[in-house]
Amino acid sequence: MSGYKLLALDVDDTLLNGKHQIPDRTRRAVEQAREAGVRVTLATGRMFRSARPFANQLGIEEYLITYHGALVRHAVTEETLFHRPVPLELALEVIAYVKQEYGYHINIYVDDYLYVAERTPEAEGYAAFASMPFGVVGDLDRFLRERNEPPTKVVVVTQPEQVDEMLVRTRPIYGDRLHITKSKPRFLEFSHPDAHKGHALAAVADHYGVRREEVIAVGDTYNDIEMIAYAGLGVAVGNGPLEVQKQADYVCPSNDDCGIAEVVEKFILGRKLSL
């Protein structure tokens, strides 16, 4: 058996295949990793409520890294290891900026619930993707001020080319105060500056007494780069962007080709893979 003790898995386009399902081979491999004594966690931009069903399918009983690392909460007990929300005044500033400059759809997340200003195709599409309901609250600024509670993250949902333009324009304004990332082509996400998967994975590893070199992290896209860089073995799946693959120690097959299963079989179970 290998010396790896913690396996962190991104969910969308990494753990899940193109049908948004966990392939049987991947499920068996994760089970075998757990039987070999390796702790397995999910590291995702999804809400905790949205990530937990996948953890249940895999029998994971560890802390889950959710909201890109802004919320780390136990899959079974729901104990929170830490929560790093966007500071309220800064969240209000971002919301005002997006409304004034672009008018794009905005999601906010408070107490692990999704809220929007109005029902839009973007809201319905996101809710369907995450398998989560959403609350329509009218003016987001007023809603947050009345709640007096900082949101876990702020997400702008629009077309891919508009997301890319916003990313270029907002990083000089907010990049030193927020962590800004593109999780999917249509999602631009604003989080606490320390809320990314790399910091969260380091905290989970430290909690379990696992050294950095004993960690494997598998992801596919830009919001996975920090955890891929942190892990002793950082893995990118073959369906991810080349820029992400270049940051990895190893590139495994795609999500549809059960790349996670290959990683487990090769690096944890020590099986020789046929070419």
Side-chain angles (χ1 to χ4, degrees), residues 9 69 76 87 101 114 131 140 163 218-219 240 245 256 262:
L9 306 173
V76 179
E101 296 294 325
L114 167 61
S131 299
L140 296 178
V163 165
V218 188
Q245 295 182 29
D256 283 326
E262 187 203 82

Side-chain angles (χ1 to χ4, degrees), residues 135-192:
V136 178
V137 297
D139 185 73
L140 296 178
D141 183 286
R142 177 178 52 79
F143 173 76
L144 285 176
R145 291 185 187 278
E146 289 178 352
R147 288 283 297 249
N148 194 31
E149 187 174 355
T152 303
K153 69 176 180 178
V154 176
V155 177
V156 179
V157 184
T158 186
Q159 296 303 312
E161 61 274 14
Q162 294 166 335
V163 165
D164 291 339
E165 178 192 357
M166 275 198 66
L167 183 61
V168 171
R169 290 187 60 185
T170 55
R171 274 192 170 154
I173 302 172
Y174 299 108
D176 61 340
R177 294 180 287 164
L178 290 171
H179 184 254
I180 307 172
T181 190
K182 181 172 68 172
S183 59
K184 302 278 280 183
R186 298 187 62 213
F187 304 157
L188 186 63
E189 315 216 2
F190 298 83
S191 305
H192 186 283

Side-chain angles (χ1 to χ4, degrees), residues 1-7 30-40 62 210 214 268-269:
M1 293 298 176
S2 74
Y4 294 109
K5 296 181 180 179
L6 177 62
L7 173 64
V30 170
E31 181 180 358
Q32 289 173 323
R34 292 176 52 245
E35 290 173 349
V38 176
R39 294 183 185 273
V40 181
E62 315 291 350
V210 175
E214 298 171 325
I268 293 176
L269 303 180

Side-chain angles (χ1 to χ4, degrees), residues 64-208:
L64 304 182
I65 296 168
T66 62
Y67 294 95
H68 305 302
L71 175 65
V72 177
R73 181 171 287 172
H74 199 277
V76 179
T77 67
E78 298 190 22
E79 177 188 0
T80 298
L81 187 63
F82 65 76
H83 180 212
R84 294 169 177 159
V86 179
L88 180 56
E89 290 302 320
L90 191 50
L92 294 171
E93 183 180 335
V94 170
I95 290 168
Y97 173 82
V98 174
K99 286 172 62 177
Q100 179 177 337
E101 296 294 325
Y102 299 98
Y104 298 154
H105 175 86
I106 300 173
N107 290 347
I108 60 172
Y109 305 78
V110 180
D111 195 25
D112 207 29
Y113 284 94
L114 167 61
Y115 297 101
V116 299
E118 58 184 343
R119 183 177 295 273
T120 64
E122 290 85 357
E124 293 176 345
Y126 187 96
F129 157 77
S131 299
M132 286 287 112
F134 60 89
V136 178
V137 297
D139 185 73
L140 296 178
D141 183 286
R142 177 178 52 79
F143 173 76
L144 285 176
R145 291 185 187 278
E146 289 178 352
R147 288 283 297 249
N148 194 31
E149 187 174 355
T152 303
K153 69 176 180 178
V154 176
V155 177
V156 179
V157 184
T158 186
Q159 296 303 312
E161 61 274 14
Q162 294 166 335
V163 165
D164 291 339
E165 178 192 357
M166 275 198 66
L167 183 61
V168 171
R169 290 187 60 185
T170 55
R171 274 192 170 154
I173 302 172
Y174 299 108
D176 61 340
R177 294 180 287 164
L178 290 171
H179 184 254
I180 307 172
T181 190
K182 181 172 68 172
S183 59
K184 302 278 280 183
R186 298 187 62 213
F187 304 157
L188 186 63
E189 315 216 2
F190 298 83
S191 305
H192 186 283
D194 292 329
H196 62 67
K197 294 184 184 184
H199 282 158
L201 182 54
V204 171
D206 183 67
H207 177 81
Y208 289 126

